[in-house]
Amino acid sequence: MQKTIELLKEHDLLKVIDAEVDIDLEMAHIAYIEVKSDDSKALLFTHPVSKRLNKKFDIPVLMNVFGSYEATKLIFNKEPDTIAKQIEKFLHMKPPSNIWDKFGMLNELFSLKNVFPKRLNLKAACQENVWETIDLFDLPILKTWSQDGGAFITMGQVYTQSLDGNKHNLGMYRLQLYDKTRLGMHWQIHKDGAHFFNEYKKAGKKMPVSIAIGGDPLYIWCGQAPMPNGMFELLLYGLIREKNARLVQSKTNPIYVPIDSDIVIEGWVDPQQSEIEGPFGDHTGYYTPMEPYPVMDVTGITTKTNPIYQATVVGKPPLEDKYMGWATERIFLPLLQTTTPDLIDYRMPENGVFHNLIIAKMRTLYPGHAKQFMHAFWGVGQMSFVKHAFFVNEDAPALDHYDDLSDYILDRVSVDNILISEGVCDALDHASPNACYGGKLGVDCTADNVSFCKKEILQDAKLYDIISKKVDEVVCLHQYKTHTKTPITVLALNKKREIKELYEDLKEFQAHMKLLVFVDMEKNDIENPYMLIWRVVNNIDAKRDLFLNEEFIGIDATSKNENDGYMRDWPQDTDCDQKVLESLIQRGLIKNNKELFKNYHV
């Protein structure tokens, strides 16, 4: 971690904050604002404090280490696309046809010796200091949002192994601090860590777990990488670094961890014990609910000399996970192409919350090809969590030219090109009527087979005037992309009834509108398309919230309740504490950038 700090300093990508900053909300708010700026940098807090605990910490806190494209490429020490080409080369390796090909293949295969982690028997840097007394409150563990259930470790590398010890996993899961010796283990049911846990539960045995913090930042990136089931994520580390991950056994359990970790928390999980975990302000920009999860009993803590505590904050985009997700997206393209060989490229925009929105470019070879892709995507590993997928042909604009690309897509939207299905959802998805299972939307925009609709487009004020005379729920509206074949009308409401009823009432105005998007008036700026996309893809379940009539399509992106047949508790947004923001501005720790605050709903 010290090497990373020096590297970031050398490239002017680090801010050192020597003022005392509280681990409750203050650090997270500073990092949250910083990473949204155009020239964001990593943050090193040298004097963490806790007013709640009446405590000063001698362990600095590093945040936003992946806080920009430049920093992310520095950490990888190469372009993500270069890594993708390396993976593609291995995937397409062919038998040698002559002696020179054989020598070339031997060279490639020899390089794979660096992929496999090495277990070492030595006194590792991560074990220079063995804590005689276990007290998790001596670590600067952050509370990031005001409604969080407590403090959480947010950049913990969670190392586990299968019951027989033959499989190993590195995951990135949040860990709630309960007391001096216990942590909540937020294993989502689809993750390898949870699969291992179920093995121990069936066997009636305690599960060993070790959590590493710090060390090479590439470890934590590997922990969130969508590796195929059963593959150890540190294999990817070896491939990228071109050297073996070097591991040492924990002091109080059989789990191996990287020797250069700054902090290691060791322990055991009793499958028979659980405790309420959460709420937690998550990367969707909403709080996830309180639910029972397993508990880790901590049996040991070791550290380097002068350790660094690494943390992150998740919430409304853009945040550090934007850049981590960008690297993941680029590097895993070749693996996705093994299932869908005519896939050219794809993007998961950060304001689409990654799994909630994917845009894919493909070579369309026959009718229905895009719909075949939809089913393939929804059946592949973590891609199965994707809620909304748009497929465009190879003649589409570049996938990161969103303005031109949205024109292309809207010129190809029709009811016939839409597929609504259902399947597994991310455990963090709140819109589906059932946890972890809900509707999915696929849109085939590969063919230019949609005609211009015969709509009389009105000015916003005129359109609002005629609508408001019919219904009183609509407070204001704004139109987008009226030059395309699918003009969009965003309507902000004071919701009084099911949106389907309002949609039916508005059909008499369909001569002026084709695609209607309904949002709540509260907390939405209908002239901010970036945050509108974030809201819409978060809040809809395709089976319940899409109303499909040719030339008149409705999307209900409002908050749901029992009147909508939604029986779960609808979550709240992760909003900054305004008193904390004011204090940080007054102390000169953040700038009072009103435009940034408005653009990203701070």
Side-chain angles (χ1 to χ4, degrees), residues 233 294 553:
E233 286 73 11
I553 299 169

Side-chain angles (χ1 to χ4, degrees), residues 167-185:
K167 293 181 180 179
H168 305 273
N169 181 254
L170 162 58
M172 180 182 174
Y173 314 116
R174 71 184 193 231
L175 303 144
Q176 183 170 351
L177 173 59
Y178 289 135
D179 54 41
K180 291 181 179 181
T181 62
R182 295 187 313 133
L183 293 167
M185 306 295 300

Side-chain angles (χ1 to χ4, degrees), residues 57 60 202 298 308 405 434 524-525 557 575 599:
F57 300 91
K202 286 180 181 178
V298 177
I308 305 292
L405 183 64
N434 307 295
N524 287 301
D525 177 0
D575 290 324
N599 288 344

Side-chain angles (χ1 to χ4, degrees), residues 30-37 40 64 66-68 318-320 323:
I30 294 171
Y32 183 76
I33 301 299
E34 172 67 27
V35 78
K36 295 180 186 299
S37 62
S40 70
N64 291 352
F66 290 95
S68 65
L319 291 171
E320 183 178 8
Y323 304 102

